[in-house]
Amino acid sequence: MDSCRIPANASKCSGNTMECFMVLSTQAQKISIGILCGLFGTMCVFENSLVLYLIFSSPSIRKKPSYLFIGSLALADILASIIFACSFVSFHVFNKAGFSKEVFLLQLGGVNTSFSASLSSLLLTALDRYISISRPSEYKLLMTRRRAWTALAVLWVTCATIAYLPLLGWNCCVLDSACSELFPFVDDNYLSGWICFTMILLGCIVYAYAHVLCRARQHVAYMEKHQAQVGKQNTRMRMDVMLAKTLVMVLAVLMLCWSPVLVLMIYSIFGRLSQRLRKVFAFCSTLCLLNSVVNPIIYALRSKELFSSLRRLFSHFRGQPKASEGSPEAESTHKSSVIET
């Protein structure tokens, strides 16, 4: 195995560098981590797979750029849950450290790519909502399917490139620099850069949401002054307000789940982490999976089209007839489709 500089607080580890990062010391801790990863990972894969099915099985839904971004988010969460849960449990619970530096960095790159793509997909969703709510008359011209697919391609390529820099050579083994206290073979400077990239993504998301909420408040004030006007414009504004609230819920969950991990990462760069804090970091890392579990639930509860598609799917399995084209439910779904477009 490649020899790298062991973190100062892990100097008591001898022989195998990877063993210095196996911080779970009791069987209860390992069982807890295994249960959390197994539960969150299974729920995440099931829920996000269901979201992808609902999106791409409906012609009216998959044509919309908004749902392409949501589909990208669901795909990123599925990949993150599978790669993270399997590698995390294998390393911390079963203490498997017999793989090479390249294999570990390959796994870490997959986790970082997926989580970065998840955050970037949220950013594209926020920008999509901002354009929709601020320039509704030009939305179809500005946000086309071609531009949406191009943005998603740039998103995934950029995230993968940044995530796999350690595998390509930016690691503490090749550079003979100080390794991170939290991740084997990871250079502290690279970790600082990845944290900055993540913070920039979060800052852009917050900035976009702030503008979306500002426009939503203006629309609410407009509706209060023009309650007598009942038409497509008012209905459109009510839909934008609802979607803005949905995005805020997603962002709130995102911040609650990611803040502990990011804080400990930043602290590890400027200070020394005790063994106890490193154990806390291991458990806080599972909150990232929890974020991926909650996102589809928010979509199912807040998106009328996805919720209607889910109801039709359940009705199909229960043997109930589908809603006819002229039924109130079908009409409501049709109107929702027109409004969100």
Side-chain angles (χ1 to χ4, degrees):
M1 180 173 291
D2 303 86
S3 59
C4 304
R5 189 176 303 173
I6 301 173
N9 69 336
S11 57
K12 62 183 180 180
C13 301
S14 59
N16 193 340
T17 303
M18 298 287 283
E19 292 178 353
C20 304
F21 296 87
M22 297 176 181
V23 296
L24 302 182
S25 56
T26 67
Q27 194 67 20
Q29 293 173 355
K30 294 180 180 181
I31 293 176
S32 299
I33 285 290
I35 293 176
L36 289 175
C37 288
L39 179 62
F40 292 159
T42 302
M43 293 177 62
C44 179
V45 171
F46 172 75
E47 293 175 358
N48 285 286
S49 298
L50 181 60
V51 170
L52 285 178
Y53 174 79
L54 294 176
I55 291 175
F56 291 99
S57 64
S58 174
S60 63
I61 294 179
R62 66 170 178 260
K63 292 180 180 179
K64 304 176 183 179
S66 302
Y67 287 103
L68 291 179
F69 299 146
I70 293 177
S72 174
L73 175 61
L75 177 62
D77 286 339
I78 290 175
L79 295 177
S81 63
I82 295 175
I83 302 173
F84 176 85
C86 293
S87 59
F88 201 74
V89 170
S90 175
F91 185 81
H92 285 289
V93 177
F94 297 104
N95 299 136
K96 292 184 178 180
F99 41 81
S100 64
K101 175 193 69 177
E102 288 74 18
V103 173
F104 178 84
L105 293 179
L106 181 66
Q107 293 178 349
L108 184 63
V111 174
N112 288 342
T113 298
S114 302
F115 281 131
S116 298
S118 179
L119 292 176
S120 301
S121 297
L122 280 175
L123 175 59
L124 290 181
T125 305
L127 294 176
D128 173 76
R129 283 296 93 207
Y130 173 69
I131 296 174
S132 174
I133 201 172
S134 62
R135 306 174 70 175
S137 60
E138 305 174 46
Y139 176 76
K140 286 186 177 181
L141 296 177
L142 296 174
M143 188 58 66
T144 62
R145 282 176 53 84
R146 182 176 181 180
R147 290 182 177 178
W149 281 112
T150 301
L152 289 176
V154 172
L155 177 159
W156 281 90
V157 170
T158 301
C159 291
T161 301
I162 294 175
Y164 282 105
L165 286 177
L167 182 62
L168 298 176
W170 191 355
N171 59 74
C172 56
C173 296
V174 174
L175 302 177
D176 192 26
S177 56
C179 294
S180 167
E181 295 183 75
L182 296 173
F183 305 100
F185 312 121
V186 174
D187 179 73
D188 263 339
N189 292 327
Y190 170 79
L191 182 59
S192 301
W194 188 85
I195 292 174
C196 290
F197 173 68
T198 303
M199 297 298 289
I200 290 174
L201 286 178
L202 291 174
C204 292
I205 293 173
V206 172
Y207 182 80
Y209 284 170
H211 282 275
V212 169
L213 289 180
C214 181
R215 297 294 300 183
R217 291 185 63 183
Q218 294 176 2
H219 284 177
V220 170
Y222 176 87
M223 285 187 290
E224 291 177 350
K225 293 180 180 179
H226 302 81
Q227 290 182 355
Q229 298 181 6
V230 180
K232 181 178 179 180
Q233 185 65 22
N234 275 354
T235 307
R236 169 60 188 260
M237 287 186 290
R238 290 190 182 93
M239 183 62 66
D240 285 333
V241 171
M242 185 193 71
L243 292 176
K245 292 179 180 178
T246 300
L247 294 180
V248 172
M249 292 172 61
V250 173
L251 178 60
V253 172
L254 180 74
M255 296 300 293
L256 289 174
C257 293
W258 275 86
S259 293
V261 171
L262 290 176
V263 168
L264 288 174
M265 284 184 182
I266 295 173
Y267 183 80
S268 71
I269 295 175
F270 297 100
R272 301 290 184 185
L273 286 177
S274 65
Q275 193 74 358
R276 182 178 180 180
L277 283 179
R278 295 172 75 195
K279 291 180 181 180
V280 171
F281 177 80
F283 279 91
C284 288
S285 298
T286 61
L287 291 177
C288 300
L289 280 181
L290 179 61
N291 171 67
S292 300
V293 172
V294 174
N295 281 342
I297 298 176
I298 296 176
Y299 302 146
L301 293 177
R302 304 290 296 182
S303 172
K304 287 186 177 181
E305 284 199 278
L306 286 182
F307 188 70
S308 297
S309 297
L310 183 61
R311 289 181 60 184
R312 289 196 298 270
L313 180 63
F314 286 158
S315 299
H316 173 73
F317 284 113
R318 292 166 58 184
Q320 297 179 358
K322 296 182 179 180
S324 61
E325 294 295 330
S327 66
E329 180 181 351
E331 182 69 17
S332 174
T333 303
H334 173 72
K335 289 182 178 179
S336 175
S337 175
V338 174
I339 292 168
E340 291 189 48
T341 305

